[in-house]
Amino acid sequence: MTPLLIIDAANVVGSVPDGWWRDRFGATERLRDALTDVPTTGVPGVQPPVDVVMVVEGKARGVESSDTIRVVPASTSGDGDDAIVDLVRTEGADRTCYVVTADRGLKARVTELGAAVLGPSSVR
């Protein structure tokens, strides 16, 4: 079964001080567009093909999916971390699952569910 790569968009966008805070929506769109080839090229340690899901929250909630990257908005009542944990539980349960984040709390939550964690530099 194709591995699942879940990207904590807010954490990855925030990992590089390039002015993202002035335009969170645009920075998240640029990240999505930069990931276009990941399903067919993979990332270090993850061979292709791979299903890529990017979780967005806050001002980036309106970013849409592309042809190759599925975008999942966090619910208005929850945060991105909760949405990522739910994806690991539901879509990552029966296959290899990776979460891209540097958030320590989220790392602990998803590794308890069996997901592996990669740092933001793996997709930057």
Side-chain angles (χ1 to χ4, degrees):
M1 185 172 275
T2 305
L4 176 64
L5 182 71
I6 303 169
I7 299 170
D8 180 354
N11 190 268
V12 173
V13 165
S15 69
V16 177
D18 61 0
W20 60 263
W21 52 89
R22 291 187 294 270
D23 181 12
R24 293 171 195 248
F25 185 90
T28 304
E29 281 188 318
R30 287 188 297 278
L31 173 63
R32 179 205 56 207
D33 295 347
L35 299 171
T36 299
D37 294 335
V38 170
T40 57
T41 61
V43 296
V46 182
Q47 296 297 315
V50 60
D51 291 334
V52 180
V53 179
M54 192 170 83
V55 175
V56 296
E57 61 184 316
K59 292 183 180 186
R61 188 174 279 119
V63 172
E64 296 182 1
S65 296
S66 69
D67 290 341
T68 60
I69 308 299
R70 182 165 52 115
V71 176
V72 174
S75 71
T76 54
S77 62
D79 66 9
D81 291 2
D82 291 340
I84 291 167
V85 170
D86 287 344
L87 283 167
V88 171
R89 268 195 199 106
T90 58
E91 296 187 28
D94 295 331
R95 60 178 163 165
T96 304
C97 181
Y98 302 90
V99 175
V100 179
T101 189
D103 181 304
R104 289 183 196 149
L106 179 57
K107 284 181 185 182
R109 292 174 69 188
V110 299
T111 55
E112 284 180 11
L113 297 172
V117 176
L118 303 171
S121 64
S122 65
V123 295
R124 282 301 225 165

